[in-house]
């Protein structure tokens, strides 16, 4: 029985009155699909979701156990709804209840949604006359919206929501809903109760009483109810949370799914989120059975679409269902389930309105639905191409389905393209290497990251401080990056230095002194000793702007043909961009040492809910075996990139690299064993707290901090307890890890050994590796898992090798940057490869890249895995 306090349900028809009626749009799609040649015919998936179809689908979720998607998602929500809501709100400023909007795309029966609504209600301290959270269910069928929202209001969940979460309906398509939100349709409290004559003629509101008439018009009809729309309030910031459950995104084709997610009105860096359900690329038989249950409910659901197709053409009986059957199959190559109608005989359908004939031959298939499944690579590729960052992920107990919470961050790095076409100097199309001349877009992404770090994470009070004694003050790096770029542009183009010219004498080169004797250091700039003698930050930023404009002018001149692009020009641009990327990471590992005592945490990214994340991390499955045996095998190190060829105009297909990457060389790797995952904080902590701290050569890691006798792990958000970061890869010096490895009976792998392992098992940025600011902290490693042949990532750290940086056969020092490697052929530096969580993909994904740090340097974001002789 309805509660005495049950409020009427409000439905807003958001299909614009000046747009074509939905009936006409569906009819046009049906005609277009049936007009295709035999073997290519299709019908719109929307036909399946009329009022009867929605009810049959609800029956699938309750009466077809083979359809695992619904119970898997429901299990996740039953177990984690409170945590999901907690993480959703982590990006919203604290300080009391915040007015916010929750919109669900394709709401359906609301059974799973009610779990989220209950959790949202629990987030609000107490009821009020104006609930701070407004939930909107978007769906196509008005009567289903009326029914489900009325049932919700009368339920115990509805009672819990009163005064905390309001619930209303939006009747329309996805496109209608997204356009309505983008126009400001949901801004302002209690939006459906406010009038706005500006949009009133486009969006009528219907208020549904407690007992809606079963004969009320369908959602495709326009109501004569009171017309009202919400006010548009530009500049206001109500957090927006979008729910897109049920793996409904799988009904979009690859590419279309990314475009749809791009279109979502999530504001960058705002705390807006998307909760997205995605089905995994599970076993083919399991998937096929899910869409062809033994009771035949799915068949009824699909066949109902023929009735809707007939209705769209003007006659519900147009398709004789005795002459059609449902066919479902899983396409493993494309990772999608496909639903078809099969014509059981030769037949012709005649359009009652136009008398157009649509002939079908026996056994001809007409596609009505596809449901794409998502591998790890599919999911991360989709998110990155959509401009979305995964905040957290929840899986069901059988690891067959995921709910992802995503945001649109302040900045992010796109996937590398392998390869992409580009026009060469002679106007021919060539395959463009991702490691060729940087694109203008790459510079823009790099500058966005650099500006974020230098202008939003360093408070003015820290500009003249040294977070690390072995490096300069923070302000130096703000000037060093544009100065290095200006110097090389001037040399390349034979132009005067950017004003003020004296900057090059202060900022040209930084320091990397010997750790054991800081008085020993390579040549470097002489810097001011007093704060007042340094250039001001505003002057440095103006200088930076002038230098960046020089870069853009160079690209314009290349584009116009005023300057002929050569490898030398491309090399200067590659070198200066990657130099900036390296220093962004240097500055961040310096700032880590002051996190919690000065460094500003990265705003514009949903901050970690550490306790929620740790629960997931601590339940990560371990590899079935600790190690894997590899070799003997011959591998290739390096690539051919001779600066002697820099007059060449063959640029786009060429891979550029630093001098220690040239030339290509073959190396034999003997048989060895290597651990699937790097040494973790927890493993080293147990060792250190036992006998380790008393051993020669073992030092307390600089990535840790002792707070009142408890060991914490440093993050850019401040220190976190060891229990949170226990399964992250340990960040510490080569000396610490080498000693630990020897205690365990192993050693640090050589560069060729580690390269062989990474070639076989590293999943890469597009496979989910923790690179390119995907997170602002390490995460547990995933290599050695049950799926994808053990491929995964190391958690987001560079990795030490036992290979000393030294001259190799064929090495030639760079003419443009002669001291880049040779200054460090000092037997103090170890080769490291891979990349950390803030290494840009261009660096981390180039397998020939060789970075290096002193063996006892404790600050760089480097870990290691243990290798064993066989």
């Amino acid at each position: 029985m309805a509660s005495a306090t049950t409020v009427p349900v409000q439905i807003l028809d958001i299909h614009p009155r000046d747009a074509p009626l939905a009936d006409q749009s569906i009819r046009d799609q049906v005609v277009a699909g049936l007009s295709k040649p035999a073997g290519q015919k299709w019908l719109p998936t929307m036909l399946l979701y009329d009022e009867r179809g929605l009810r049959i689908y609800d029956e699938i979720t309750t009466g077809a156990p083979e359809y695992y998607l619904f119970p898997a998602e429901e299990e996740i929500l039953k177990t984690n709804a409170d945590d999901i809501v907690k993480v959703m709100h982590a990006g919203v400023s604290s300080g009391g209840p915040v007015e916010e909007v929750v919109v669900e795309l394709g709401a359906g029966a609301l059974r799973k949604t009610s779990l989220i609504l209950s959790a949202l209600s629990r987030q609000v301290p107490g009821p009020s006359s104006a609930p701070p959270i407004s939930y909107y269910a978007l769906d196509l069928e008005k009567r289903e919206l009326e029914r489900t929202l009325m049932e919700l209001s009368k339920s115990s969940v509805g009672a819990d929501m009163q005064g905390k979460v309001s619930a209303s309906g939006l009747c329309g398509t996805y496109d209608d809903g997204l356009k309505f939100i983008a126009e400001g349709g949901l801004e302002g409290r209690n939006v459906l109760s406010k009038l706005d004559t500006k949009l009133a003629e486009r969006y009528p509101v219907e208020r549904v009483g407690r007992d809606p008439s079963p004969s009320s018009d369908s959602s495709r009809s326009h109501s004569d109810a009171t017309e009202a729309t919400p006010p548009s309030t530009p500049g206001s910031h109500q957090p927006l949370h979008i729910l897109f459950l049920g793996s409904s995104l799988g009904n979009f084709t690859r590419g279309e799914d990314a475009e749809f997610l791009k279109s979502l009105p999530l504001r960058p860096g705002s705390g807006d989120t998307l909760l997205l359900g995605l089905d995994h690329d599970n076993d083919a038989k399991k998937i096929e059975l899910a869409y062809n249950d033994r009771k035949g409910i799915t068949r009824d659901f699909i066949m109902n679409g023929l009735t809707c197709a007939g209705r769209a053409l003007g006659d519900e009986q147009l398709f004789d269902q005795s002459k059609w059957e449902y066919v479902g199959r899983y396409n493993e190559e494309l990772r999608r389930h496909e639903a078809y109608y099969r014509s059981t005989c030769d037949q012709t359908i005649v359009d009652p309105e136009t008398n157009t004939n649509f002939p079908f031959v026996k056994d001809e298939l007409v596609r009505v639905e596809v449901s794409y499944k998502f591998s790890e690579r599919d999911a991360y590729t989709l998110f990155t191409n959509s401009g979305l960052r995964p905040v957290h992920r929840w899986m069901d107990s059988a690891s067959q389905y995921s709910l992802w919470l995503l945001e649109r961050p302040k900045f992010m790095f796109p996937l590398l393209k392998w390869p992409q076409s580009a026009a060469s100097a002679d106007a021919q199309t060539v395959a463009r290497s991702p490691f060729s001349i940087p694109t203008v877009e790459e510079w823009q992404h790099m500058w966005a990251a650099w500006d974020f770090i230098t202008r939003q994470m360093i408070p003015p009070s820290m500009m003249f401080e040294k977070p690390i004694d072995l490096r300069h003050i923070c302000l130096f790096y703000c000037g060093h990056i544009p100065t290095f770029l200006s110097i090389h542009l001037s040399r390349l183009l034979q132009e005067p230095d950017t004003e003020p010219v004296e900057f090059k004498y202060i900022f040209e080169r930084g320091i990397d002194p010997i750790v054991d004797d800081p008085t020993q250091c390579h040549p470097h700039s002489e810097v001011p000793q007093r704060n007042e003698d340094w250039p001001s930050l505003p002057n440095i930023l103006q200088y930076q702007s002038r230098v960046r404009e020089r870069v853009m002018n160079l690209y314009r001149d290349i584009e116009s043909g005023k300057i002929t692009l050569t490898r030398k020009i491309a090399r200067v641009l590659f070198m200066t961009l990657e130099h900036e990327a390296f220093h962004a990471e240097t500055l961040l590992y310096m700032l880590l040492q002051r996190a919690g005592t000065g460094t500003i945490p990265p705003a514009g990214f949903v901050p970690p809910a550490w306790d929620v994340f740790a629960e997931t991390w601590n339940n990560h499955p371990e590899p079935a075996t600790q190690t894997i045996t590899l070799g003997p095998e011959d591998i290739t190190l390096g690539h051919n990139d001779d600066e002697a060829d820099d007059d060449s105009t063959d640029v786009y297909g060429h891979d550029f690299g630093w001098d220690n990457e040239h030339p290509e060389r073959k190396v034999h790797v003997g048989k060895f064993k290597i651990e699937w995952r790097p040494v973790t904080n927890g493993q080293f902590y147990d060792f250190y707290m036992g006998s380790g701290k008393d051993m020669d050569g073992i030092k307390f890691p600089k990535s840790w901090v002792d707070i009142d006798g408890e060991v914490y792990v440093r993050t850019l958000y401040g220190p976190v307890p060891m229990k949170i970061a226990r399964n992250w890869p340990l960040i510490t010096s080569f000396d610490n890890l080498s000693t630990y490895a020897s205690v365990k009976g192993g050693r640090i792998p050589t560069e060729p050994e580690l390269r062989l392992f990474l070639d076989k098992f590293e999943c890469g940025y597009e496979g989910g590796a923790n690179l390119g600011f995907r997170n602002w902290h390490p995460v547990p490693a995933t290599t050695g898992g049950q799926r994808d042949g053990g491929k995964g990532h190391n958690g987001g750290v560079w990795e030490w090798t036992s290979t000393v940086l030294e001259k190799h056969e064929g090495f030639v020092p760079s003419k443009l940057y002669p001291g880049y490697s040779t200054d460090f052929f000092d037997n103090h530096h170890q080769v490291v490869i891979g990349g950390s969580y803030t290494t840009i993909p261009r660096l981390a994904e180039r397998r020939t890249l060789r970075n290096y740090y002193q063996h006892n340097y404790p600050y760089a974001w480097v870990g290691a895995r243990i290798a064993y002789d066989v």
Side-chain angles (χ1 to χ4, degrees), residues 469-537:
D469 287 337
L470 298 172
R471 293 292 182 266
H472 280 309
I473 63 172
C474 294
L475 185 71
F476 171 85
Y477 297 93
C478 297
H480 172 58
I481 290 303
T483 300
F484 184 89
L485 177 53
S486 175
I487 288 170
H488 284 279
L489 286 176
S490 296
R491 289 175 183 170
L492 172 71
L493 302 173
Q494 297 183 338
E495 295 176 348
D497 290 304
T498 310
E499 293 291 341
V501 175
E502 56 267 24
F503 274 20
K504 72 178 183 180
Y505 303 113
I506 302 173
F507 294 119
E508 179 176 7
R509 197 171 188 197
I511 56 172
D512 182 15
I514 300 300
V515 174
D516 291 333
D517 183 4
T519 63
Q520 301 296 313
C521 188
H522 60 79
H524 56 85
S525 304
E526 293 299 324
V527 299
Q529 299 303 305
R530 299 186 307 170
N531 292 353
E532 57 267 30
D533 294 335
W534 285 88
S536 70
L537 181 60

Side-chain angles (χ1 to χ4, degrees), residues 139 451 803:
D139 222 322
D451 290 348
T803 301

Side-chain angles (χ1 to χ4, degrees), residues 60 63-69 71 286-295:
I60 292 173
E66 299 91 343
Y67 188 71
Y68 63 86
L69 288 77
K286 181 184 187 69
I287 292 173
E288 288 190 344
L289 191 58
Y291 292 88
N292 195 13
D293 60 278
R294 294 178 179 86
K295 294 180 182 178

Side-chain angles (χ1 to χ4, degrees), residues 56-64 67 70-71 74 109 111-112 297:
I56 299 175
Y57 178 76
D58 194 33
E59 188 180 349
I60 292 173
T61 65
T62 57
Y67 188 71
F70 186 94
E74 188 174 45
R111 279 173 46 211
K112 291 175 296 185
I297 307 174

